[in-house]
Amino acid sequence: MEHQERIIAFSPREITEDEREYASNSYLMSLFALFVGLPLPIFNLMATVIFYLGKRKSTPFVKWHCMQALISQLFIFFFNTVAFWWTITYLFFPERFASDYSFNSYFSYILLVLFINGIEIVSTIYTAVQTRKGIHVRWFLFAELTDQILGHENTR
Amino acid sequence: MKTLGKFLFVLAAIAAVYFILFQVNWEKLFKLEEKQERLEEKLGKLINDELKASYGFIDDDSSKQVLDSIFSPLLEANGIARKKYKLMLIKDSEVNAFALPNNQIVLTSGIINFLDSADYLSAVLAHELAHCEKKHVMKSLITNFGLDVLLSGSGASEVTNFLTGQAFSRKLEQEADEQAVDYLTKADIDPKNLIHVMELFDLYLTGDLDLTWASTHPAPKDRKAYLQQKINNTAVEDIAKPSLSQEQWEKFQEHVEKQDGEVD
């Protein structure tokens, strides 16, 4: 996670209280939906999509953070979906656990997904706290993607 | 370009973490295999007791010797230790053979009387051996009864009924048939015997005989088709002499029939 204060035009002093709250909520929304929607991996993504659509005409700061939250959720959605359906398959066809290779690949994948989700949750909480203070937090890779999707002119 | 580089870096990092995690043998770490073996052993004993309570066993030295002379070459040729398996013959007119947990194979007196040669019995044994070696028995039990029921040790009679009267899924049956072709080929026994057994079952399936082994399995015609395909793709080199001459086999059948008639 890159923490680049003041590199971009958003200065905490220029960010209003409402903007800080909305930007922070875009991250909190995905966390809340994650816990409510467990074990279905679609809810957290849906929550960020809905929040983004609701705030797409908002100020650049809010829009930018909604998009970063959305991209991060989209990223883990694919991993979580595979983990979810793999688990469902095992619940209905437990005989597949009989193969060592099959169990090892499944279990390693579940650990990987837990690891990715762990990083995501910690980063989301950290970013929600920072944006609430008006601090602009750029995530590794997702920030660049957000810039490209929303256009540099909007964010810089 | 910078974004693509970062994206590739993330993907590579994820792949590396997965690769490292995959190197750990989690099953061994959690001793899953050991637990499954213990469960299989426990179930094997339970079902064996259940069978002993319901059927008479033909376990005289002469019968054991004949069965051993048919079964042992099959195991030896495939590098499987003889002592790993227990082969039992029960008094039952149903034409049936089935695999039980803990590497036990049961034949009925009905199937001995039904089959025309010792090589046919080798073919049936190769099929049941494949079920055991491929762990089909435990896979099917876990699927049908769930681990909870099996671990609790309850429902032994239901489990026994399931194993004696039900076939495995179509996929597992085909897998066992195809594996049986390999076992027979390695033991220099003509794998076509398996097809001949199917033909025999096909012929008698509509009759009065209780052909449990055929009626619970996929249709003999379908089995013949994929078996033929498998045999065509298998290089069958030497065919050894039958482990038992036709005369010895018929003598054994008479012996079993006599034993079957005796009251325990």
Side-chain angles (χ1 to χ4, degrees), chain A residues 72-110:
Chain A
S72 69
Q73 288 307 315
L74 188 68
F75 176 77
I76 60 162
F77 168 75
F78 293 109
F79 288 95
N80 289 354
T81 303
V82 173
F84 176 76
W85 287 110
W86 203 344
T87 305
I88 290 290
T89 311
Y90 270 135
L91 286 176
F92 288 99
F93 305 100
E95 78 270 13
R96 293 190 188 180
F97 269 118
S99 147
D100 299 359
Y101 180 80
S102 166
F103 178 77
N104 237 39
S105 41
Y106 169 76
F107 196 76
S108 305
Y109 185 77
I110 293 296

Side-chain angles (χ1 to χ4, degrees), chain A residues 2 95 100 104-105 144 148, chain B residues 3 6 18 24 26-27 143:
Chain A
E2 288 173 23
E95 78 270 13
D100 299 359
N104 237 39
S105 41
E144 273 86 13
Q148 284 175 13
Chain B
T3 311
K6 281 188 176 180
Y18 181 71
V24 182
W26 299 106
E27 189 151 4
T143 310

